[in-house]
């Protein structure tokens, strides 16, 4: 069973609220560095300031085409290149869900490939918003993400009807290629759920709650 420090190493410490201000972003960065999370995931408009603030002590992640995914591919590529130029280390993109439902799998794949090319050596995670998809569509996305060469398939934006579920992570494990990792995101509110997602095969957890839980527990015991 994963201990607390192991869980934290898999957390993308996240703040993507529309009202997020620099003071809150700075606190996310401080907490991410203190607790050695995998990254901080923040709005693109704060990437440059955050990257200058953390000075390479923690990876900075941001989101592209967020949260609806229906920007043009050209716009998403521009966002990606801009974010990386500003210091982003990791990119979480949202697919065009309408294209998938239209059966335009090749277009979805081409878009992911275009963003991976724009990312270069930087990590690309592909958000498919599982709560809006059928199981068949999720399985198709596992194949598409694998063939497109992305690094991760990610369950959710956290801005739709439902976030990550254990069943979706189990389905991903059964259908993604060996070079694709899994990120569960949205609605992860307890250490027990975080442990379970990791046990099922998730490699990253997108959440704003886990660090707060750990911080509160540390304050209660007097330990860091």
């Amino acid at each position: 069973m994963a201990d607390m420090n192991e869980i934290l190493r898999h957390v993308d410490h996240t703040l993507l609220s529309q009202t997020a201000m620099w003071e809150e972003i700075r606190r996310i960065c401080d907490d991410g560095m203190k607790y050695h999370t995998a990254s901080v995931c923040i709005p693109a408009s704060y990437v440059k300031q955050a990257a200058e603030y953390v000075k390479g002590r923690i990876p900075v992640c941001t989101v592209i085409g967020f949260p609806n995914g229906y920007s043009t591919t050209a716009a998403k590529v521009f966002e990606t290149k801009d974010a990386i130029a500003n210091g982003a280390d990791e990119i979480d993109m949202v697919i065009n869900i309408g294209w998938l439902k239209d059966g335009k799998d090749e277009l979805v794949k081409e878009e992911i490939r275009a963003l991976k090319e724009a990312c270069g050596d930087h990590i690309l995670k592909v958000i498919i918003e599982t709560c809006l998809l059928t199981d068949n569509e999720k399985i198709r996305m596992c194949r598409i993400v694998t063939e497109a060469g992305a690094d991760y398939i990610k369950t959710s934006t956290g801005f739709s009807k439902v976030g990550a579920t254990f069943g979706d992570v189990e389905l991903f494990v059964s259908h993604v290629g060996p070079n694709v990792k899994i990120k569960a995101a949205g609605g992860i509110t307890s250490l027990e759920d975080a442990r379970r997602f990791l046990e099922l095969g998730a490699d990253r957890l997108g959440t704003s709650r886990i660090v707060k839980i750990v911080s509160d527990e540390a304050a209660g015991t007097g330990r860091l």
Side-chain angles (χ1 to χ4, degrees), residues 119-180:
C119 282
D121 294 334
H122 299 275
I123 287 173
L124 176 65
K125 310 188 198 91
V126 180
I127 308 170
I128 73 169
E129 203 70 282
T130 49
C131 67
L132 302 181
L133 305 182
T134 66
D135 281 352
N136 176 263
E137 289 165 344
K138 296 170 196 175
I139 291 168
R140 281 163 51 205
M141 278 310 308
C142 287
R143 174 183 55 79
I144 290 167
V145 170
T146 299
E147 292 177 358
D151 302 284
Y152 282 79
I153 187 168
K154 176 178 170 182
T155 60
S156 321
T157 62
F159 279 68
S160 194
K161 298 181 290 185
V162 180
T165 69
F166 300 141
D168 284 333
V169 170
E170 290 177 307
L171 184 145
F172 287 175
V173 168
S174 297
H175 293 281
V176 293
N179 297 322
V180 178

Side-chain angles (χ1 to χ4, degrees), residues 20-168:
M21 299 179 293
W22 168 245
E23 181 60 27
E24 296 169 294
I25 299 293
R26 185 190 60 77
R27 194 178 308 123
I28 287 284
C29 293
D30 287 340
D31 286 344
M33 291 186 287
K34 177 179 179 179
Y35 292 104
H36 305 289
T37 62
S39 78
V40 290
C41 188
I42 60 173
S45 57
Y46 288 108
V47 163
K48 190 173 192 299
Q49 194 171 3
E52 291 171 351
Y53 180 72
V54 303
K55 294 181 170 61
R57 290 172 289 175
I58 188 171
V60 175
C61 173
T62 194
V63 288
I64 301 299
F66 194 84
N68 295 312
Y70 46 43
S71 306
T72 65
T73 298
K76 290 179 182 177
V77 169
F78 178 87
E79 282 187 83
T80 300
K81 290 180 177 179
D82 183 58
I84 290 171
N86 285 332
D89 300 290
E90 302 185 1
I91 299 294
D92 288 19
M93 65 163 286
V94 186
I95 66 162
N96 189 316
I97 298 167
W99 282 355
L100 181 70
K101 289 187 174 293
D102 276 337
K104 298 176 180 177
D105 294 23
E106 286 302 312
L107 277 180
V108 178
K109 188 192 303 183
E110 288 169 14
E111 180 170 272
I112 296 169
R113 280 179 175 157
L115 266 70
K116 182 57 186 172
E117 183 178 352
C119 282
D121 294 334
H122 299 275
I123 287 173
L124 176 65
K125 310 188 198 91
V126 180
I127 308 170
I128 73 169
E129 203 70 282
T130 49
C131 67
L132 302 181
L133 305 182
T134 66
D135 281 352
N136 176 263
E137 289 165 344
K138 296 170 196 175
I139 291 168
R140 281 163 51 205
M141 278 310 308
C142 287
R143 174 183 55 79
I144 290 167
V145 170
T146 299
E147 292 177 358
D151 302 284
Y152 282 79
I153 187 168
K154 176 178 170 182
T155 60
S156 321
T157 62
F159 279 68
S160 194
K161 298 181 290 185
V162 180
T165 69
F166 300 141
D168 284 333

Side-chain angles (χ1 to χ4, degrees), residues 153-155 164 169 182-186 188 197 202-207:
I153 187 168
K154 176 178 170 182
T155 60
V169 170
I182 295 165
K183 177 175 175 179
I188 303 173
F197 278 117
D203 180 78
R204 291 285 186 94
L205 306 173
T207 174

